């Protein structure tokens, strides 16, 4: 009789485990397909949510930046007739806003160099205190601020020493640090000295602003929009002499904007005439101003309006109507796309007036709200992340259940493999490899589905404007790769439990199960 030689069990290689997993999946295509479909849907949901947010945010940032000339023109026409609001003066002194450098130059001229320097430092400390107040919880805000805004609260502290003493007790009870980044003594000095100086400087700046407006009105009583239509050789000089820090490029934009608004007002006035309104409604299909401007955005519509509708006294040509119609429709589309959009602006800078931190940002950064890169956390609200996490949890439970059922159906196969010498580790590797393969296939399919959903939804919501989000493709690729990795990792993690059950089965116990 030949001797029986006992040898150590040979572990299966990763490649062999993968081939066995593929073989097992081929005999259970339905169950494997269901598991893959669950993973594909989870990855598709994650890809769609993240990539749509990134892509749309970039497209909205582009539209927001495209509307900047109109916002600038409106702001200038307003401030040439009305003094800047108190909050805007403080923001500009603190270095916030796209035109903070120009505003600071104006305010320095209107309030004097020494007072302006003090106001600049006080405005930055005010914004630090304001940022501290915004981080308070509703309960802390009710206790500390007492329902007041930060300005009124600081004024009360400056006028009432007892309120400052009570503030110390409140901060101690709530375990809060002093407002702003500075210490307690620095905040006390700010409340007693810097805040009153800042308030006086803001009031003086607004007084000088009102005087500059009066000088402009004394030179020419026409409405400001009309003055830009026919500026003459002296309007720019008058603006500079009055103390307004207006650049030549901005001045030319105001002239173009005034001409554009003149055409729009002419069209709106024409539509007030019943006879002309009826003719326009028949030809354009509607007599509402947006529909009429869209009609004028075509060459045929602009030519018809210029020849058959516009009065002989109107100086606008067909080209003027065409240009105005195209700009009006573009801006309407951009305004609709950016409704509710809030660009992410940088915090108050710790820089001197005149650098890029004070509003001289690069155009592409300003188009995206002051940030060149898009972070996943910045474009999705917290509630959406919770929804994504819950969907992934449901997916993990579904995958785990499907794999556990697969283990139950394959008891006899597992027992046979163990009788033939398969190690526990090899059995576990085989089931984990099966889950990873399903996760990879489902993840790739989910990425494709997610991209398709993002493209379809983006075109539905933003139309042609959606293509301007293409600049965010690196972030989209990263988000898709991360989502694919999450899908594969989710499948592998969900397979650990069922694989552990399969690896711990005793051969004789498994063979008794039919």
């Amino acid at each position: 009789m030949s001797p029986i030689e006992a040898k150590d069990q040979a572990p299966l290689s990763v490649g062999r485990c993968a081939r066995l997993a593929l073989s097992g999946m081929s005999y259970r295509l339905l169950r494997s397909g269901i598991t893959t479909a669950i993973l594909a849907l989870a990855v598709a949901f994650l890809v769609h949510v993240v990539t749509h947010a990134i892509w749309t945010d970039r497209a909205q940032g582009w539209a927001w930046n495209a509307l900047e000339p109109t916002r600038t023109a409106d702001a200038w026409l307003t401030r040439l007739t009305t003094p800047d609001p108190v909050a805007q003066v403080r923001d500009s002194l603190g270095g916030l806003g796209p035109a903070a450098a120009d505003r600071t130059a104006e305010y320095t001229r209107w309030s004097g160099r020494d007072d302006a320097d003090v106001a600049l430092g006080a405005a930055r400390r005010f914004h630090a205190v304001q940022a501290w107040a915004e981080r308070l919880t509703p309960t802390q805000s009710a206790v500390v601020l007492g329902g007041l805004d930060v300005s009124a609260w600081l004024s009360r502290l400056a006028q009432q020493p007892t309120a400052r003493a009570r503030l110390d007790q409140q901060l101690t009870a709530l375990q809060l640090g002093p407002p702003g980044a500075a210490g307690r003594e620095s905040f006390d000095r700010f409340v007693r000295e810097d805040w009153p100086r800042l308030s006086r400087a803001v009031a003086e700046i607004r007084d000088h602003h009102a005087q500059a407006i009066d000088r402009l009105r004394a030179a020419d009583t026409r409405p400001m929009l009309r003055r830009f239509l026919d500026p003459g050789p002296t309007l720019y000089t008058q603006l500079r002499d009055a103390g307004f820090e207006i650049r030549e490029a901005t001045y030319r934009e105001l002239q173009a904007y005034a001409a554009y608004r003149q055409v729009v007002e002419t069209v709106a006035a024409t539509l007030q005439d019943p006879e002309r309104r009826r003719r326009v409604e028949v030809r354009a299909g509607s007599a509402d101003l947006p529909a009429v401007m869209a009609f004028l955005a075509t060459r045929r519509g602009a030519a018809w309006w210029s020849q058959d509708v516009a009065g002989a006294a109107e100086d606008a040509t067909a080209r003027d109507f065409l240009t105005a119609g195209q700009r009006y429709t573009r801006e309407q589309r951009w305004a609709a796309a950016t409704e509710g959009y809030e660009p992410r602006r940088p915090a108050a800078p710790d820089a001197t007036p005149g650098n890029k931190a004070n509003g001289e940002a690069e155009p592409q950064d300003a188009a995206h709200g002051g940030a060149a890169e898009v972070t996943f956390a910045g474009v999705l609200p917290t509630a959406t992340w919770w929804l994504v996490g819950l969907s992934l949890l449901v997916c993990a439970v579904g995958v785990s259940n499907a794999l556990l059922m697969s283990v139950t159906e394959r008891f006899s196969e597992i027992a046979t493999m163990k009788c033939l010498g398969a190690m526990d580790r090899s059995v576990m590797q085989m089931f984990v490899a099966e889950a990873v393969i399903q996760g990879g296939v489902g993840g790739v399919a989910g990425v494709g589905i997610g991209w398709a959903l993002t493209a379809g939804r983006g075109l539905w919501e933003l139309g042609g404007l959606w293509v301007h989000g293409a600049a965010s493709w690196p972030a989209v690729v990263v988000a898709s790769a991360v989502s694919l990795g999450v899908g594969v990792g989710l499948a592998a993690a969900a397979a650990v439990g069922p694989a552990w059950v399969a690896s711990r089965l005793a051969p004789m116990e498994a063979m008794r199960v039919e």
Side-chain angles (χ1 to χ4, degrees), residues 37-54:
I38 293 174
L39 289 165
L41 291 176
V43 173
F45 177 72
L46 179 59
V47 169
H48 169 63
V49 168
V50 178
T51 58
H52 177 267
I54 294 173

Side-chain angles (χ1 to χ4, degrees), residues 146-168:
L148 301 175
D149 60 21
V150 177
S151 301
W153 176 65
L154 289 173
S155 298
R156 186 181 66 179
L157 292 178
Q159 297 169 3
Q160 301 176 10
T162 56
R164 295 199 295 272
R166 188 164 59 251
L167 175 63
D168 289 337

